[in-house]
Amino acid sequence: MVVSPTVVAASDAASDAASQERWQEHWQQRWYPVAYLQDLDPRQPTAFTLLEQDLVLWWDAAAGQWRAFADVCPHRLVPLSEGRLNGRGELECPYHGWSFNGEGRCTAIPQADPGAVATACASARSACRAYATATGQGLLFVFAGDPERAATAPLPLVPVLEEPGWLVQDTFRDLPMDALTLLENVLDVSHVPFTHHRTVGRRQNAAPVAAELTSSGPEGFTLAWPEGPRRGKLGSQFTTFVAPGLMWHDLTAKGFARFMTVVYATPIRAGECRLFARFPFQFRSALPRLLLRARPVWLQHLGNHTVLEDDQVFLHGQERVLAERGGSGALAQACFLPTSADVYVQALHNWVNTIAGPPAPGSALPPRWGRAALMDRYDSHTRHCRACSGALRGVRRWRPLVLVALGLELVLAAWLPGAAARVGLLVALGFTALLLRQLNRWERLLLRGDGHPPRNALDRRDA
């Protein structure tokens, strides 16, 4: 039988339409976190990209809420995120000073005479596209689809975090990998002993993972691992995936704490996503809580970077190999998945292939990055983070003072009479030199990672 080109074309068009409908329903008409509220500056606009849509986030003081607009001025198409919040508290374009209120309506056109302003501002063509926004559990969420449908979609929150008594440590980072690659990685519990050896895992704790899928459907799935990590020493672990971009592991270590790993994967574009990681703890005693609270947030973030970079160095390449071999739909042929530990990854790709499709259909991955770009911390985190950007400013503010102190101590050590005084100065000199070295190290770590995962360092048993 010969099938006519017209029939084939019609079939392909129908398939494309169905795929687009799936994508709209399961990826676009959804809420996504775009920032922690504590990291947003209400005095200036912030740029963000969500599902390849460039956004500008800004604080509407008149309404007392965060706004999200398409990051493009309707006049001459420049990014509004390069503008400012003017004296009226409105978003002002940097190019010609057009001003927009919280609903996206244009309120001022400096180049137009008074008679023309009202007519131009009344036109729908002068308005910005506005997105629905909401806040919850310390996060700002944006609805990627039709604002009129936002009220029918629940915010992707973690219900148990509404309970009192949690200590939550947060971090985020823009990652050079697809949202699905990130989700696949954080769902996969079996990689931790090897990939994160010496950070949050140990190779000697590797063991079979007898996990099972306990529920699944269009809105996600759940899994149970009765034995749990570290060969059963911590207790059973339960995993939840809330489509399309939220997952958490929940574990209670008897007599010590209940703790969770919560991850949001917010898709930016093909091959890029923003990770929001939350680490909630409920300790049985007060001491661990006090110790965690005592550590500055920016130092915690430096530790988080090290863990993230354990696998970032190879996941960026892994997703390109999978794409070359057919992508998620060809996972079973591209990868050999013989163990029960692979149930997490299989459940995710089953959801992608039977329910939602990929987050960026038809978009190719960008060119592969080099190691230096993969290790960037400044653009992917520090400049967006209130704690880390403040720490970087502090390091750079204190270093000249430490250099001056070091110079003075060198001069005094050479000319000050008396052996005891010189010994005291030498001690002070050593302390100042160590402080300068630490400041330099902190600056380097706030800007970039070193690209050498701790797991690969030789120890005495390996030598």
Side-chain angles (χ1 to χ4, degrees):
M1 182 178 70
V2 178
V3 179
S4 73
T6 302
V7 172
V8 172
S11 176
D12 290 344
S15 177
D16 291 343
S19 297
Q20 179 64 17
E21 185 176 346
R22 291 168 61 203
W23 180 83
Q24 286 272 348
E25 181 65 27
H26 296 285
W27 286 103
Q28 188 175 52
Q29 307 298 335
R30 301 286 172 147
W31 289 98
Y32 295 94
V34 295
Y36 289 114
L37 293 174
Q38 65 187 12
D39 291 317
L40 288 168
D41 187 345
R43 300 168 299 177
Q44 61 185 20
T46 300
F48 187 75
T49 300
L50 173 62
L51 284 171
E52 301 185 344
Q53 304 169 79
D54 292 333
L55 308 179
V56 54
L57 315 173
W58 63 284
W59 175 249
D60 180 4
Q65 70 179 83
W66 287 98
R67 302 289 192 180
F69 291 173
D71 194 13
V72 56
C73 179
H75 176 217
R76 294 281 296 280
L77 312 181
V78 303
L80 292 168
S81 58
E82 293 296 331
R84 64 170 187 141
L85 302 185
N86 59 26
R88 297 189 302 278
E90 296 183 338
L91 183 62
E92 185 180 280
C93 176
Y95 203 9
H96 297 94
W98 286 33
S99 185
F100 303 92
N101 65 16
E103 285 71 44
R105 186 172 62 85
C106 183
T107 63
I109 301 176
Q111 296 76 23
D113 60 62
V117 170
T119 301
C121 289
S123 171
R125 295 190 65 188
S126 70
C128 294
R129 178 185 175 185
Y131 292 74
T133 59
T135 59
Q137 296 183 346
L139 289 158
L140 173 63
F141 292 86
V142 172
F143 191 73
D146 183 354
E148 294 183 357
R149 293 187 57 180
T152 64
L155 285 180
L157 302 175
V158 182
V160 72
L161 293 187
E162 299 294 333
E163 300 174 2
W166 289 100
L167 171 66
V168 183
Q169 294 190 312
D170 293 329
T171 192
F172 71 94
R173 183 161 170 169
D174 291 338
L175 300 179
M177 66 187 73
D178 198 83
L180 287 180
T181 302
L182 171 60
L183 288 168
E184 177 187 280
N185 173 250
V186 294
L187 283 166
D188 174 20
V189 299
S190 64
H191 82 284
V192 174
F194 290 95
T195 302
H196 300 296
H197 177 66
R198 294 189 172 189
T199 51
V200 293
R202 290 291 183 271
R203 292 190 188 106
Q204 56 267 33
N205 289 329
V209 177
E212 57 184 33
L213 189 68
T214 51
S215 69
S216 64
E219 299 306 314
F221 52 79
T222 59
L223 300 108
W225 182 14
E227 183 184 44
R230 299 187 186 178
R231 296 177 177 269
K233 295 178 181 178
L234 295 181
S236 301
Q237 181 168 287
F238 302 92
T239 299
T240 301
F241 168 66
V242 178
L246 167 63
M247 65 114 300
W248 66 81
H249 299 302
D250 189 351
L251 187 151
T252 299
K254 294 180 180 179
F256 176 59
R258 180 183 182 182
F259 49 94
M260 303 174 68
T261 299
V262 178
V263 170
Y264 290 92
T266 297
I268 295 175
R269 58 179 64 86
E272 293 181 51
C273 69
R274 174 167 287 188
L275 157 84
F276 294 92
R278 319 198 77 170
F279 305 101
F281 300 89
Q282 281 184 335
F283 292 107
R284 296 290 182 263
S285 63
L287 182 59
R289 175 182 291 267
L290 292 173
L291 291 175
L292 283 182
R293 285 190 180 277
R295 184 168 63 160
V297 171
W298 63 274
L299 279 179
Q300 172 217 319
H301 286 179
L302 291 183
N304 296 146
H305 284 314
T306 300
V307 177
L308 289 171
E309 289 162 2
D310 279 345
D311 34 31
Q312 182 166 301
V313 292
F314 56 74
L315 291 178
H316 179 75
Q318 176 213 19
E319 69 179 4
R320 281 155 179 76
V321 176
L322 179 59
E324 291 168 359
R325 298 186 180 187
S328 181
L331 180 76
Q333 294 74 39
C335 302
F336 182 45
L337 307 172
T339 74
S340 59
D342 297 316
V343 65
Y344 296 86
V345 173
Q346 290 169 327
L348 176 65
H349 285 276
N350 183 62
W351 175 82
V352 171
N353 295 319
T354 63
I355 304 295
S363 296
L365 293 171
R368 188 166 180 166
W369 292 10
R371 186 170 289 255
L374 289 172
M375 292 299 105
D376 165 72
R377 294 179 179 178
Y378 179 76
D379 285 318
S380 64
H381 173 84
T382 298
R383 72 184 183 94
H384 306 290
C385 174
R386 187 181 299 273
C388 292
S389 60
L392 184 60
R393 289 193 300 272
V395 165
R396 290 172 171 173
R397 182 172 60 249
W398 278 99
R399 185 167 50 198
L401 300 177
V402 174
L403 282 169
V404 170
L406 189 64
L408 289 174
E409 289 167 357
L410 284 170
V411 171
L412 289 173
W415 294 98
L416 195 68
R422 288 186 179 182
V423 169
L425 268 175
L426 287 174
V427 172
L429 186 65
F431 174 80
T432 306
L434 289 174
L435 178 58
L436 179 62
R437 180 185 178 187
Q438 186 61 52
L439 289 173
N440 290 335
R441 178 176 178 271
W442 279 336
E443 180 183 42
R444 186 180 71 255
L445 292 176
L446 287 164
L447 297 177
R448 61 188 179 278
D450 63 15
H452 301 294
R455 67 172 177 272
N456 292 340
L458 293 176
D459 58 26
R460 293 176 183 174
R461 288 173 298 177
D462 298 325

